[in-house]
Amino acid sequence: MDITKFTTYDEKKVPASFSKRLAWFLALWGMGTLAIILVASFLHLLIPHG
């Protein structure tokens, strides 16, 4: 599998303005951070404390 399949993109789908790109980045970063916090909280509940 070529590495270029992962690095190429369709220019029509990429937001042109900087503010939209920044909003997408912040949304993805926030969702990733939230997912990590939720998984850590779930593991914290599962692991017995003694």
Side-chain angles (χ1 to χ4, degrees):
M1 182 177 289
D2 293 336
I3 192 69
T4 56
K5 288 185 179 181
F6 294 107
T7 58
T8 57
Y9 61 91
D10 186 6
E11 292 182 15
K12 296 175 186 174
K13 294 182 181 179
V14 176
S17 67
F18 177 74
S19 60
K20 286 185 181 179
R21 289 183 187 200
L22 182 62
W24 270 103
F25 171 76
L26 291 176
L28 290 173
W29 177 77
M31 287 188 302
T33 303
L34 181 63
I36 291 172
I37 291 171
L38 289 175
V39 169
S41 298
F42 182 67
L43 289 175
H44 183 73
L45 290 174
L46 288 178
I47 298 173
H49 304 280

